[in-house]
Amino acid sequence: MVNSKNVAFKVDKQSPARWPPPQPYSTVINCRKPGSKRASKQAQGIRSQQVPLTKVPGISLGERKRVWEDEDAEDDERSPSPSKKVLRSGIDAPIFSPTAASRTHPSSTKPTRLRRGKPLSKGIDLDSWFTILRFSDPAQLLEMRTKIASCYRFLRDNPTLWKHSRNYYYGETLPDPPSELTEFQYAHLRHGHGCMSCGTTATRKTYWAFLRRWCKNCLQAKVIREPEARALLKGSNGEDISFIQKCLPAGIFDSWGNFVGVGPAHTHSLKTVYLLSDVENLVAEFIRESRENYVSWHAEMRTWISNKSKTVEERREFARKMELWEDMTRTTKSYNYQEKKDARKLYYIEKAGKLDPPINAKLVEHCPSFKRAIAIPKEPSMNSWLQLKPKLEKEAFEIARGLTSGVRQESPFLGGIISPLPLLTDVSTPPMQSVTGLCTPNTEYC
């Protein structure tokens, strides 16, 4: 019997015998702390032989007991026979099953413990990450790809993940990207911010006609009007090639130089604009193709122009859908904001009418704190009302005292009633009897 933990002892070897020994024998070492000085001196030699035990992987005693109990319960269910136990030295010794122990190994059944500041020792497989991230917002995926290095390659190499995320959050309302854009580029234009030319962080406007996000100054510097573009559409020998103008993506500017939508323009007040880089690249590609296919270029030119026109038309349709979707989203958001503001207004007026003494709705609407509170597009709550209540009572008291200046009676907010008195100097202004709702029927200030 050993009464110590985390120490190892050298025990006498048991000689193998084909028959049981006449009496059981073993080496018993008692390492409990002795109470007397003499016992401590005697045990000094024993302590010197103590060495720390190494941690042996296996199953703990508590796990073994649970395994034994589960096996006993399974045996009882299988047969009504007595439980399978063997009597050894008068003690019931349960049978241990290695297969059951492997099923209940702590590493396979113990859940992962999440601790702050301690990274997980076991990673998550890529299939699980794909399932998790497909239910994330595309804006969140864009943020993870930009700021988390471990997510960069995974999000770059799985374009379908962006599509699943977009369909999950927006459904069929958001149009699919054109063939010119990948899913990541589409998400970057839709949810990113910052000018793609000068890097201005406050820029969020995306010009879908050009598939770029620029600030207003960069846009003005990169576009040219239609007459200027026609002057640049010249071949290698200076011949006019303005017939390829329909292969250029176009936008529309108004008379003040503001971008109003995808082009071309069909009215005199609106102007068609093109990107200078698109015009130069198109002319350079036309000249290169004509030189490489000099013999058959006259026959292949129509096919080349037709393919370019289809690409431009696809972008044009996509840009119109995106502009319509953004307008609808903006209108819906504005409508939802207005609903929340109206809900806050009704909620605060109702709460003000239940105060002691109550505050009239007309007087509440003249309080500056009430005007600021109902301009917030959020749902009303008790916390917001508790923050507004002291400000509302103070401002309503000051307004009532200013309207009733010269009256000897107390203010209604202090429990008294104000006698009838014409307000200010306007003769047409109806008299006010009480700010708390005891006004005459014709009053407009209560």
Side-chain angles (χ1 to χ4, degrees):
M1 180 178 181
V2 180
N3 297 325
S4 181
K5 298 180 179 180
N6 298 328
V7 292
F9 302 93
K10 185 176 181 181
V11 185
D12 297 339
K13 296 182 179 180
Q14 295 184 1
S15 58
R18 298 182 181 178
W19 54 87
Q23 60 181 0
Y25 66 95
S26 62
T27 302
V28 180
I29 300 177
N30 189 355
C31 291
R32 289 180 294 182
K33 186 176 181 181
S36 61
K37 295 182 179 179
R38 180 180 299 177
S40 62
K41 291 181 180 180
Q42 294 177 356
Q44 187 175 3
I46 298 177
R47 291 198 190 97
S48 62
Q49 298 178 2
Q50 298 178 3
V51 292
L53 287 176
T54 58
K55 188 175 181 181
V56 180
I59 189 167
S60 62
L61 181 59
E63 295 289 341
R64 292 183 181 181
K65 290 182 179 180
R66 285 194 289 270
V67 172
W68 297 336
E69 294 172 359
D70 295 342
E71 287 185 349
D72 293 342
E74 293 177 0
D75 294 339
D76 294 341
E77 292 179 358
R78 291 197 196 101
S79 62
S81 60
S83 59
K84 298 181 180 180
K85 296 184 179 180
V86 180
L87 296 178
R88 295 180 181 176
S89 303
I91 301 176
D92 294 342
I95 299 176
F96 179 76
S97 174
T99 57
S102 62
R103 290 197 303 266
T104 59
H105 196 275
S107 61
S108 60
T109 60
K110 189 175 181 181
T112 304
R113 298 183 63 181
L114 303 177
R115 296 180 180 179
R116 182 178 299 177
K118 184 177 180 180
L120 294 176
S121 58
K122 183 178 181 181
I124 304 177
D125 56 298
L126 298 181
D127 293 338
S128 300
W129 275 120
F130 188 90
T131 305
I132 294 171
L133 295 180
R134 65 183 297 180
F135 297 103
S136 302
D137 188 9
Q140 184 179 4
L141 294 181
L142 186 65
E143 194 77 7
M144 294 174 62
R145 188 184 188 273
T146 307
K147 296 185 178 180
I148 303 178
S150 58
C151 295
Y152 174 80
R153 291 180 178 273
F154 182 75
L155 294 175
R156 182 196 63 182
D157 300 335
N158 291 273
T160 55
L161 182 61
W162 300 84
K163 184 177 181 179
H164 286 304
S165 174
R166 172 170 56 85
N167 293 335
Y168 177 76
Y169 265 82
Y170 299 101
E172 298 180 356
T173 58
L174 188 65
D176 295 331
S179 58
E180 300 175 85
L181 292 179
T182 62
E183 289 288 343
F184 165 69
Q185 292 173 344
Y186 186 29
H188 186 261
L189 290 175
R190 175 68 188 87
H191 304 285
H193 59 86
C195 179
M196 300 175 69
S197 179
C198 65
T200 305
T201 57
T203 304
R204 292 184 177 273
K205 173 66 175 176
T206 299
Y207 302 97
W208 296 107
F210 305 127
L211 301 180
R212 295 292 187 277
R213 183 176 58 252
W214 288 323
C215 60
K216 189 175 181 179
N217 295 333
C218 292
L219 177 67
Q220 296 285 352
K222 293 179 180 296
V223 298
I224 57 176
R225 298 184 180 272
E226 185 176 8
E228 301 173 359
R230 285 179 177 272
L232 297 177
L233 295 176
K234 302 293 183 181
S236 57
N237 298 326
E239 69 274 13
D240 184 19
I241 55 173
S242 59
F243 53 87
I244 65 172
Q245 182 179 351
K246 58 183 179 180
C247 301
L248 290 172
I252 301 177
F253 274 17
D254 58 9
S255 56
W256 290 277
N258 298 320
F259 183 86
V260 295
V262 61
H266 299 286
T267 59
H268 181 71
S269 59
L270 302 177
K271 307 298 181 182
T272 303
V273 294
Y274 304 96
L275 288 182
L276 177 60
S277 58
D278 288 346
V279 176
E280 294 176 349
N281 293 336
L282 184 65
V283 172
E285 184 178 358
F286 180 86
I287 296 175
R288 184 177 63 256
E289 292 290 338
S290 61
R291 289 178 178 177
E292 293 178 356
N293 305 320
Y294 179 78
V295 178
S296 59
W297 174 242
H298 184 73
E300 295 179 356
M301 182 174 59
R302 294 184 179 181
T303 306
W304 182 82
I305 294 176
S306 177
N307 295 336
K308 291 288 183 180
S309 301
K310 289 180 180 179
T311 304
V312 171
E313 187 65 26
E314 181 186 5
R315 183 195 294 193
R316 190 174 302 166
E317 293 295 329
F318 167 75
R320 289 171 180 171
K321 291 180 180 179
M322 281 302 302
E323 291 176 356
L324 180 61
W325 184 84
E326 288 181 345
D327 292 341
M328 293 178 60
T329 304
R330 194 179 300 111
T331 303
T332 304
K333 187 179 296 185
S334 177
Y335 180 75
N336 294 337
Y337 284 173
Q338 189 61 37
E339 283 187 343
K340 294 178 181 179
K341 293 178 182 179
D342 295 341
R344 291 174 72 92
K345 182 178 180 180
L346 296 176
Y347 180 79
Y348 294 149
I349 290 177
E350 181 182 359
K351 287 292 185 180
K354 295 180 180 180
L355 294 176
D356 187 20
I359 305 177
N360 197 300
K362 294 293 183 180
L363 184 59
V364 171
E365 293 179 355
H366 286 80
C367 297
S369 60
F370 175 78
K371 296 178 180 179
R372 293 193 300 268
I374 63 176
I376 301 174
K378 293 183 178 180
E379 294 289 343
S381 62
M382 182 57 66
N383 292 335
S384 62
W385 163 246
L386 293 177
Q387 294 179 2
L388 176 64
K389 179 181 175 181
K391 304 175 185 178
L392 198 64
E393 291 177 341
K394 179 181 179 181
E395 294 173 357
F397 176 79
E398 294 176 354
I399 293 175
R401 186 174 58 180
L403 295 176
T404 59
S405 57
V407 181
R408 297 181 180 179
Q409 288 82 353
E410 290 182 341
S411 171
F413 296 96
L414 301 178
I417 299 177
I418 300 176
S419 60
L421 182 68
L423 300 178
L424 304 179
T425 58
D426 190 0
V427 180
S428 62
T429 303
M432 183 178 71
Q433 188 180 24
S434 171
V435 187
T436 62
L438 302 178
C439 303
T440 57
N442 298 328
T443 181
E444 296 180 358
Y445 291 87
C446 297

